[in-house]
Amino acid sequence: MRQLVVAGAVVRGGRVLAARRTRPPEAAGRWELPGGKVEPGERPDDALARELREELAVDVEVVRWLAGVVPVGEAHELRAALVRLTGEVDQLEPDGDTHDRLRWLGPDELDEVDWLEPDRPFLAEVAHELHQAAPTLRGVFFDEDDAAQAARRLRGDGYDAHVERERLAGEDDDEDHPWAVLTDAPAVALELLVDELDGWLDLEEEQDTTAVGSPLELPTTPRRIKRP
Ligand SMILES: Nc1nc2c([nH]c(=O)n2[C@H]2C[C@H](O)[C@@H](COP(=O)(O)OP(=O)(O)OP(=O)(O)O)O2)c(=O)[nH]1
């Protein structure tokens, strides 16, 4: 019998996490949904949670298993699940051992990376799921602490919210990038926070899911200067 490998489609803010493998040599440079082998007697859900904790230091829960079981080589077979992050994570780092790069991909970006063959049959269902996801709003802040506070408060109100580093149009260095809070909260909730914490709403719908990493435009209306 083939040994089961479980992989997680970690979905957050309308995007899925892809990880680039470093080993074995034939898989190095190819992208996958992070996960690993199920140990004897282990439940697949538990194995997936364990692997993502070990590899990415995140806590997840399985939302549902995707359709299909795909053979991997002679000895393994792959199943994949939609999972969601349950703990506090603002920045994810690759583990360095299995992966050297991570990317959050929107539904129209899934073909931008070179997936391992066994992962490909799952991608159509992942794309469908991402298209269904609640629209993602972005609030942008110059101050990391303000962004973190906004995300915390949104999560406290039961919404999904996380912080990402942004670039601005015309920037050509790594200095002073603003911070974006991506959330499925309604606009009114985010509006109150950007007003209070001196950020702005990024209303470029197209940027939300399709153009990850593309530069933001500066706000067109004056921002208040922060008072001490
Ligand atoms: N984790 C994972 N492995 C995949 C995917 N697609 C795919 O073909 N594989 C292959 C690569 C490996 O040959 C095998 C899983 O190995 P792994 O290295 O991730 O498993 P593991 O963490 O338990 O590692 P190990 O220490 O036993 O090597 O399945 C995928 O999406 N995720």
Side-chain angles (χ1 to χ4, degrees):
M1 227 177 62
R2 291 169 177 269
Q3 185 183 11
L4 183 61
V5 175
V6 287
V10 183
V11 172
R12 186 167 77 167
R15 291 187 278 170
V16 66
L17 185 68
R20 192 170 69 180
R21 284 194 75 105
T22 53
R23 65 179 170 85
E26 59 277 14
R30 311 282 300 277
W31 293 75
E32 69 174 12
L33 301 170
K37 295 170 192 131
V38 178
E39 290 171 0
E42 195 178 28
R43 290 174 54 234
D45 289 40
D46 295 338
L48 187 50
R50 174 183 53 73
E51 287 285 350
L52 295 188
R53 207 175 306 118
E54 285 170 8
E55 290 183 0
L56 298 168
V58 292
D59 290 321
V60 299
E61 69 184 14
V62 169
V63 176
R64 66 182 164 82
W65 289 91
L66 300 173
V69 185
V70 181
V72 179
E74 297 296 314
H76 297 99
E77 61 186 18
L78 180 69
R79 296 197 63 197
L82 284 178
V83 302
R84 66 176 200 88
L85 298 166
T86 54
E88 290 265 319
V89 198
D90 283 339
Q91 294 290 313
L92 272 185
E93 301 289 343
D95 57 343
D97 178 14
T98 329
H99 304 117
D100 64 354
R101 263 196 81 188
L102 300 176
R103 274 188 71 179
W104 290 98
L105 301 172
D108 301 316
E109 296 175 311
L110 293 176
D111 58 2
E112 286 184 13
V113 301
D114 184 18
W115 293 94
L116 288 172
E117 295 308 325
D119 292 62
R120 294 175 191 255
F122 297 105
L123 297 180
E125 195 175 346
V126 171
H128 179 77
E129 179 67 24
L130 296 181
H131 278 298
Q132 303 294 306
T136 305
L137 288 178
R138 295 168 105 84
V140 186
F141 302 84
F142 274 114
D143 188 315
E144 181 180 4
D145 291 340
D146 288 341
Q149 185 187 151
R152 241 189 340 267
R153 285 168 56 180
L154 289 166
R155 283 195 297 262
D157 288 339
Y159 301 112
D160 187 16
H162 68 274
V163 179
E164 278 183 10
R165 202 81 197 267
E166 288 289 358
R167 298 183 287 136
L168 291 174
E171 264 190 337
D172 56 3
D173 58 30
D174 285 335
E175 302 296 314
D176 297 328
H177 291 211
W179 300 86
V181 174
L182 277 72
T183 180
D184 61 359
V188 61
L190 188 57
E191 257 159 24
L192 289 174
L193 287 168
V194 293
D195 195 40
E196 181 188 328
L197 298 167
D198 294 321
W200 74 93
L201 267 189
D202 175 33
L203 291 172
E204 287 285 329
E205 282 293 316
E206 278 300 293
Q207 277 193 357
D208 290 347
T209 53
T210 58
V212 179
S214 60
L216 289 169
E217 296 300 329
L218 276 166
T220 48
T221 49
R223 298 172 60 248
R224 276 186 293 134
I225 302 298
K226 192 174 227 174
R227 286 178 295 273

